[in-house]
Amino acid sequence: MRTLVLGGIRSGKSQWAEDWIARTAGPSGSVRYVATGSVDGDADFAARVSAHRNRRPAHWSTVESADVATTLRESAAATMVDDIGGWLVAAMDRRGAWEGARSGASLRADIDELTSAVSAFTAPLALVSPEVGLTVVPATESGRRFADELGSLNQRLAAVCDRVVLVVAGQPLTVKES
């Protein structure tokens, strides 16, 4: 089952996804955790990443990569991707898609590749992604571009996932169930 887990910052979406994939992984309990974010000297973000690492069981494998499509194609192990927002930041950086006319069209191939890999994945899969549109419209062009792209990407992923869960204040709300 492919599950998209949405929520705001500090909503509990990652914790919920970790619990779900652990229950769903089967008798071995083996899970591949794909971390898409980069710490890059940011002490606060490093502390958040450390808290996530400390919460995970020691027998889970961790892949630190924004190349989620390739990682999904490499193995059919139960997998958790945390998070799609980090993947999108890396894709936008790689394509120079933060401002101007180069944005949407340049990301299309990356998004098509990701959604295709998710659609073809047959093992349990939890994709964690920030939900957009629940706060103010970003004040900058790059912020609005990110919110627009993430909103569209979440819709594409929701269409190919079997289940969509919105986590609010640590509480899951099933939005879609196949």
Side-chain angles (χ1 to χ4, degrees):
M1 174 177 284
R2 295 173 306 264
T3 300
L4 176 60
V5 183
L6 301 169
I9 297 168
R10 297 286 200 217
S11 64
K13 63 188 177 294
S14 294
Q15 177 72 55
W16 187 91
E18 290 166 6
D19 293 345
W20 177 81
I21 198 76
R23 288 191 315 272
T24 309
S28 72
S30 178
V31 172
R32 179 179 51 167
Y33 186 100
V34 181
T36 65
S38 175
V39 174
D40 291 334
D42 182 327
D44 178 60
F45 192 62
R48 290 172 185 245
V49 168
S50 180
H52 280 240
R53 281 185 187 135
N54 293 337
R55 219 174 37 217
R56 292 194 297 267
H59 66 277
W60 284 16
S61 66
T62 301
V63 176
E64 293 182 358
S65 175
D67 190 354
V68 175
T70 298
T71 303
L72 291 178
R73 287 191 296 268
E74 289 176 345
S75 171
T79 300
M80 178 173 160
V81 178
D82 197 358
D83 83 8
I84 297 300
W87 175 88
L88 182 59
V89 166
M92 291 179 76
D93 284 348
R94 190 173 56 253
R95 300 289 186 196
W98 288 99
E99 295 177 357
R102 294 185 52 196
S103 68
S106 67
L107 292 171
R108 190 166 299 123
D110 295 318
I111 292 170
D112 289 348
E113 181 184 25
L114 176 63
T115 55
S116 176
V118 168
S119 182
F121 197 74
T122 58
L125 175 63
L127 301 169
V128 177
S129 187
E131 178 52 52
V132 295
L134 298 176
T135 186
V136 297
V137 174
T140 64
E141 180 184 358
S142 58
R144 288 187 299 275
R145 177 119 359 186
F146 177 79
D148 291 348
E149 293 293 346
L150 185 60
S152 296
L153 176 56
N154 283 345
Q155 291 178 49
R156 295 266 315 265
L157 291 171
V160 299
C161 284
D162 306 298
R163 184 178 190 200
V164 178
V165 175
L166 175 65
V167 179
V168 179
Q171 303 304 304
L173 173 65
T174 300
V175 177
K176 174 186 173 183
E177 186 84 57
S178 291

